[in-house]
Amino acid sequence: MPDNNVFEQSFPVKGGDFANAGEASCQVKEILKEIGVGADIIRRVAIAAYEAEMNVVMYAREGEVRVSISPEMVNLIIEDEGQGIENIDLAMQEGYSTATEEMREMGFGAGMGLPNMKKNSDEFKVTSEVGKGTKIDIRIRMEKET
Amino acid sequence: MILQEIMTILSAEVLACKNSLDIEVNAVKASDLMSDVLTMSDSGVLLLTGLTNVQAVRTAEIAELSAIVFVRGKRPEQDTIELAEQKNIPLLATQLPLYESCGLLFQKGLMGTSQPVKDS
């Protein structure tokens, strides 16, 4: 813990584990609720975390969701070991997807994940290396409601 | 409109959270695409879907949906029902297809999510 005002926790996410996909994001949501973060912020964090977590389950071998909560903002880092993203600009386009039929049957893989994460973020950064993995850094500021 | 009325309109049966049929529903979203559901900015919305796996319930929890109606006679697996019970998200099932289900609810005055959601 860097200082007393910051709460941090990380949740492991397993690639291909569709049965538990979303559990980490639900836990992040519960933590924010307990802390008493505003409903709008909780919603944006939960949606961004869930989309990112689904990407780990769908595309990576393993990864983790890390959340740090300070009085100023919620920071989500979703990092995975996996295939990585070849062209981030393309992946950021709504509708662009490399999803398989199995992923689409889960109700995902329509090329809306990354754009939706960005939409819910105040700051959003994707870094990725093909064959190694992807890191997503999402920051959502508290100022609007708290 | 409360969930109980929706159940009657759609001739639906309850699969999970039988004791939560008095919750208020202000708007409806119909989609099989969970990413699409996650782009909504309203909470308390009823989801009509043909997607019966656990992701429907997870999405409902994340997006704070009020309840889920499975359409065209589709039935979820037991793990989906169990998760819904645990998360307290009512599940209904109707034999009606998606279009008819939407039409019947719209006719009774339930709006979609592009309309401003009224306070209950």
Side-chain angles (χ1 to χ4, degrees), chain A residues 23 26 29 43 106-107 119, chain B residues 34 39 55 58 61 63:
Chain A
E23 193 49 51
C26 287
K29 191 180 170 187
R43 188 180 171 81
M106 305 302 293
K119 191 189 124 194
Chain B
M34 294 303 110
T39 61
Q55 254 61 49
R58 297 262 188 220
E61 195 195 4

